[in-house]
Amino acid sequence: DQQVKQNSPSLSVQEGRISILNCDYTNSMFDYFLWYKKYPAEGPTFLISISSIKDKNEDGRFTVFLNKSAKHLSLHIVPSQPGDSAVYFCAASGGGGSEKLVFGKGTKLTVNP
Amino acid sequence: NAGVTQTPKFQVLKTGQSMTLQCAQDMNHNSMYWYRQDPGMGLRLIYYSASEGTTDKGEVPNGYNVSRLNKREFSLRLESAAPSQTSVYFCASSEMTANEKLFFGSGTQLSVL
C-alpha cells in the first residue's frame, strides 16, 4: 500500500519552461513534506519542504504547493535548466520523526537544451 | 566538506557471503539511517539510530544488522547475503530524528550473485 505516490515515472521539458512534478499521498496524518533531488551515482539531496500549516513555500526557482484537501503536492521549477535533470523524490512525515519518513518512487526529470 | 561518507562504492558478493557497509558523518549529527533503493521503488528504511547507543528497525530490517560504533559511525552488516539484497544502499544522517532533513552519502551498489 503506497502512501506516497509519484504517478509519473518521467517528465521531459524544454529549457526555460516550467517543470511541474506531482505527488499524492493517502495518509491524512502526514503533516510535513519534502522534495529530494538525486543525480546519478550520488545520494539524494534535500531541495525544499513544506509544513501542512502552509500551502506554498518558495526557494528561488523552486516552489512547492500543498493542497491538503486533495492530499496533493507539486513542485514547480521555473525556469527549468539542464542542470535540473535528475530524479526527484517526494517524501512525507507524520510527526513521528524522520524514521517515519515515507518516500515516493521518484520522477525522472529531463530538461532539454 | 565530506558530509556523509560510505564505503565501499561497489561490491559483488556470492550468495551466503557476509560483508559490512561502513558509514561515517562529520556533521556531529545525532541520528543516522540506512536505506535501500530498488528499481521502481522509493527509498526504504532498513535501520536507524536515533542517537549514539541506540538502534531500531525500519521498514525492511530482515537479513541485516547494524552497529552504531560511535556518534560518527553507523555500519550495516549482511550476515548471509541473498540475491534479494541486491540494491543500492544509502546511509544518511540528520541532527535528530525530529528533523526530517536528511543528508545522504553517495551510495553503495551491491550485487549478490
Side-chain angles (χ1 to χ4, degrees), chain A residues 33-110:
Chain A
F33 305 88
L34 306 92
W35 286 93
Y36 283 84
K37 175 180 179 179
K38 183 185 179 304
Y39 292 119
E42 295 184 12
T45 56
F46 169 77
L47 185 59
I48 193 169
S49 63
I50 188 166
S51 165
S52 60
I53 62 173
K54 294 185 175 182
D55 54 19
K56 176 183 173 181
N57 189 27
E58 206 169 343
D59 184 2
R61 296 185 298 113
F62 302 91
T63 303
V64 57
F65 295 92
L66 175 62
N67 182 333
K68 291 185 288 294
S69 60
K71 294 191 179 66
H72 176 84
L73 63 156
S74 60
L75 175 68
H76 293 212
I77 306 174
V78 183
S80 300
Q81 299 173 354
D84 296 328
S85 297
V87 176
Y88 290 78
F89 291 99
C90 172
S93 172
S98 48
E99 71 273 21
K100 301 296 184 185
L101 204 56
V102 179
F103 285 86
K105 293 182 178 181
T107 296
K108 183 177 182 180
L109 173 66
T110 302

Side-chain angles (χ1 to χ4, degrees), chain B residues 63-108:
Chain B
Y64 306 94
N65 284 301
V66 291
S67 295
R68 183 73 182 266
L69 305 170
N70 47 56
K71 190 171 185 179
R72 289 186 65 248
E73 298 173 286
F74 189 38
S75 63
L76 178 72
R77 182 158 179 86
L78 287 70
E79 290 290 353
S80 179
S84 61
Q85 294 178 304
T86 293
S87 188
V88 181
Y89 292 85
F90 290 101
C91 177
S93 70
S94 66
E95 289 184 6
M96 57 189 70
T97 55
N99 186 338
E100 291 91 340
K101 182 178 176 181
L102 304 179
F103 293 80
F104 286 85
S106 59
T108 297

Side-chain angles (χ1 to χ4, degrees), chain B residues 2-57:
Chain B
V4 179
T5 304
Q6 288 182 239
T7 56
K9 291 190 182 301
F10 302 94
Q11 184 71 48
V12 179
L13 294 177
K14 293 181 180 178
T15 297
Q17 286 186 315
S18 62
M19 79 158 296
T20 300
L21 281 65
Q22 306 287 353
C23 175
Q25 52 91 9
D26 62 2
M27 295 172 283
N28 201 36
H29 284 169
N30 290 298
S31 303
M32 298 185 73
Y33 315 80
W34 277 104
Y35 285 89
R36 60 179 287 173
Q37 186 195 5
D38 300 298
M41 303 285 286
L43 294 155
R44 293 183 294 168
L45 183 64
I46 304 171
Y47 269 95
Y48 69 99
S49 171
S51 60
E52 186 179 356
T54 69
T55 61
D56 284 287
K57 296 178 180 179

